[in-house]
Amino acid sequence: MNWNWSHVDDFMPLFWDGVQLTLKALFFGTLIAFSLGLVWAIAQRSERKWIRWPVTAVTEFIRSTPLLVQLFFLFYVVPQWGPSMSPLTTGIVGLGLHYSTYTSEVYRAGIEGVPAGQWEAATAVSLSRRRTWTAVILPQAVRRVIPALGNYVIIMLKESPQMAAIGALDMLGQAQGYSQATFTYEAISVVGVAFIVIAYPASVLLRVLERRLVR
Amino acid sequence: MMSSEFLGNWFLPGLWITLQVTFLSAALAFVIAFPIGVLRTHRLWIVRFLAGAYFEIFRSTSSLVFMYWIAFTVPPVFNISFQPMFAGVLALGITYGAYASEIVRGALAAVPPAQREAGIALNFTPFQRLRRIELPQAWPEMIPPFNNLLIELLKGTSLVSLIAVADMTFAGDLLRLVTNDSAPIYTLLLVLYFVLAFVLTRGMRLLERHAKKRVGQAPEKTGLFGGVRATSSIDAVTGTGGAK
């Protein structure tokens, strides 16, 4: 077995830079995914067909195609007629957009889980449409789906290394850079272990949260 | 623009490689999922623990990082070499096998306990019970979540392009480097993946209808354009839902 621990030591400073970038992308990607997902979910419940159908079609399409190709699209095609984005920004937008189509399904399930009596009660006390959503439906729906949303944060973490393919220096990007510059191969293992070390406790935590919030 | 020569030399073979990788890694995941899923319901705690450990470890693994690790770290460290496609299929099969084992476990746990008790009353061995009673009833329940996972796997196959397997995405990348005209290429790629996902879903729906008929359940009616995703109570990727 050819293994050299000193390469691992040398990689560590770069690794921590990568961790920072990964967490940054994850944080902003999550913000986009959570907020845009809610927009999709509410739009899909709209009474107007011309809102409901296009949103359903677009989210279905985004959800059924690979994030990697979407990242390439955002990075190479969009700048031809739109804004040019850095690899990190592209990664954040890509992750956020891709997973907003998943979180919209989560929100939808949550909204459908709110008993019909709640809608009727809101109508009975003549709340406006806006107040019905913000004061009655969403507080009940969102509480129920927090664990499921949290699971998507973990999934986004595990998919985030794809942005290394467009040159972002996240954990994987740093490991690739270091390995190619020094002709070594130990760095990837550090990153692989790091993902398990972050993702496993997070999923345990979510299961505890699920037991508390849902029942 | 795309020349027909390029299309024949790279894109169509790329499509074929994508299909191969999807099929092979789905087969590997399937073969892993059943033993692991069944062992996670075993009565000995140590067996449950080991099968559970497999699930937890590979569910927490990033499949891309794992793929890089198999492709670039394993060969020099252990002095072995293999095709990049082998590394891709192995990484996808092992990680998606972990997700799929959760589907198997959840569906088995959802079989009414009276069915198991009836098997015990008839003096079936545990294996007979599994083969004759529990799996046939759990199987139709597994298909919709398997369908969703298969679409995730199809999307995941695009990652093999990053370890130099010449799949569809790889062909698209090459074409971009040659022609510098990326808009039609990536649009075509996205549409192709969507069409593949759509076709796979239709196939899985047929399988589901067939499986439900076999255990005397009425198939659910879904139109031709009933969406790419199956609605299912078990979500393997997030590990939510299903009987605990």
Side-chain angles (χ1 to χ4, degrees), chain A residues 124-192:
Chain A
V125 295
S126 65
L127 288 184
S128 68
R129 215 173 148 64
R130 194 191 173 81
R131 286 281 289 162
T132 307
W133 275 105
T134 56
V136 181
I137 305 302
L138 287 182
Q140 298 181 65
V142 171
R143 179 189 161 86
R144 240 174 281 210
V145 297
I146 286 173
L149 288 177
N151 273 314
Y152 279 110
V153 179
I154 300 178
I155 294 170
M156 283 169 76
L157 168 74
K158 290 184 296 179
E159 301 291 308
S160 68
Q162 292 183 29
M163 64 187 172
I166 48 169
L169 290 175
D170 70 326
M171 286 197 259
L172 183 64
Q174 293 282 10
Q176 264 181 300
Y178 178 81
S179 302
Q180 278 158 10
T182 57
F183 301 103
T184 59
Y185 39 76
E186 282 86 352
I188 301 271
S189 313
V190 179
V191 176

Side-chain angles (χ1 to χ4, degrees), chain A residues 27-185:
Chain A
F27 177 76
F28 290 108
T30 303
L31 279 187
I32 295 180
F34 282 8
S35 40
L36 206 55
L38 190 57
V39 173
W40 298 145
I42 294 176
Q44 277 179 314
R45 289 186 63 93
S46 167
E47 279 148 21
R48 298 182 188 87
K49 268 186 189 168
W50 56 269
I51 295 182
R52 208 169 56 220
W53 283 11
V55 169
T56 308
V58 166
T59 51
E60 193 90 323
F61 186 80
I62 294 177
R63 202 168 29 185
S64 307
T65 50
L67 174 62
L68 183 65
V69 183
Q70 289 168 6
L71 286 176
F72 287 149
F73 191 93
L74 287 172
F75 196 63
Y76 296 116
V77 181
V78 169
Q80 288 177 4
W81 37 262
S84 179
M85 295 181 287
S86 74
L88 174 62
T89 316
T90 312
I92 290 171
V93 172
L95 268 180
L97 189 64
H98 191 83
Y99 282 97
S100 72
T101 64
Y102 286 82
T103 54
S104 87
E105 288 298 297
V106 173
Y107 284 124
R108 197 178 67 164
I111 293 168
E112 279 169 8
V114 176
Q118 298 288 326
W119 289 96
E120 290 156 8
T123 314
V125 295
S126 65
L127 288 184
S128 68
R129 215 173 148 64
R130 194 191 173 81
R131 286 281 289 162
T132 307
W133 275 105
T134 56
V136 181
I137 305 302
L138 287 182
Q140 298 181 65
V142 171
R143 179 189 161 86
R144 240 174 281 210
V145 297
I146 286 173
L149 288 177
N151 273 314
Y152 279 110
V153 179
I154 300 178
I155 294 170
M156 283 169 76
L157 168 74
K158 290 184 296 179
E159 301 291 308
S160 68
Q162 292 183 29
M163 64 187 172
I166 48 169
L169 290 175
D170 70 326
M171 286 197 259
L172 183 64
Q174 293 282 10
Q176 264 181 300
Y178 178 81
S179 302
Q180 278 158 10
T182 57
F183 301 103
T184 59
Y185 39 76

Side-chain angles (χ1 to χ4, degrees), chain B:
Chain B
M1 204 36 225
M2 216 175 294
S3 68
S4 61
E5 190 188 344
F6 188 91
L7 209 68
N9 286 342
W10 289 99
F11 228 94
L12 291 180
L15 177 64
W16 176 231
I17 296 277
T18 294
L19 289 174
Q20 273 180 303
V21 173
T22 308
F23 179 76
L24 290 175
S25 37
L28 178 59
F30 195 77
V31 167
I32 291 172
F34 272 86
I36 297 288
V38 170
L39 289 180
R40 287 181 62 202
T41 62
H42 200 272
R43 63 199 156 82
L44 290 177
W45 72 268
I46 183 75
V47 178
R48 278 203 310 273
F49 175 79
L50 290 175
Y54 175 89
F55 169 68
E56 294 293 356
I57 288 174
F58 287 104
R59 201 180 65 137
S60 308
T61 303
S62 166
S63 50
L64 178 60
V65 177
F66 189 45
M67 198 181 285
Y68 267 90
W69 188 76
I70 295 179
F72 302 130
T73 301
V74 169
V77 170
F78 299 100
N79 278 322
I80 48 173
S81 67
F82 38 71
Q83 295 281 323
M85 189 163 140
F86 177 80
V89 168
L90 202 63
L92 289 173
I94 289 175
T95 43
Y96 283 83
Y99 295 139
S101 80
E102 174 67 8
I103 297 175
V104 174
R105 190 201 62 78
L108 282 176
V111 173
Q115 296 289 331
R116 201 165 302 130
E117 288 155 11
I120 297 170
L122 291 170
N123 209 15
F124 277 26
T125 65
F127 183 73
Q128 278 177 322
R129 226 158 57 212
L130 192 68
R131 199 174 100 82
R132 299 283 178 196
I133 299 174
E134 292 171 34
L135 279 180
Q137 294 186 59
W139 173 236
E141 295 305 311
M142 294 181 203
I143 297 175
F146 273 159
N147 179 8
N148 291 350
L149 197 60
L150 187 63
I151 307 298
E152 292 299 319
L153 178 62
L154 170 70
K155 287 160 57 187
T157 60
S158 66
L159 300 182
V160 299
S161 69
L162 299 178
I163 56 166
V165 178
D167 78 330
M168 223 152 69
T169 309
F170 190 84
D173 251 11
L174 272 187
L175 191 55
R176 173 180 57 81
L177 289 172
V178 175
T179 64
N180 225 350
D181 188 15
S182 45
I185 304 165
Y186 288 122
T187 310
L188 175 68
L189 260 184
L190 288 172
V191 169
L192 275 174
Y193 275 107
F194 182 77
V195 170
L196 284 181
F198 191 82
V199 171
L200 283 177
T201 304
R202 294 276 88 77
M204 293 295 274
R205 291 264 164 84
L206 284 180
L207 196 65
E208 185 190 355
R209 195 163 302 170
H210 178 74
K212 280 199 166 161
K213 222 183 262 171
R214 273 189 56 198
V215 292
Q217 292 174 6
E220 229 177 288
K221 279 220 170 68
T222 44
L224 178 64
F225 296 98
V228 171
R229 291 312 169 99
T231 44
S232 100
S233 54
I234 310 169
D235 190 339
V237 179
T238 62
T240 50
K244 292 273 147 98

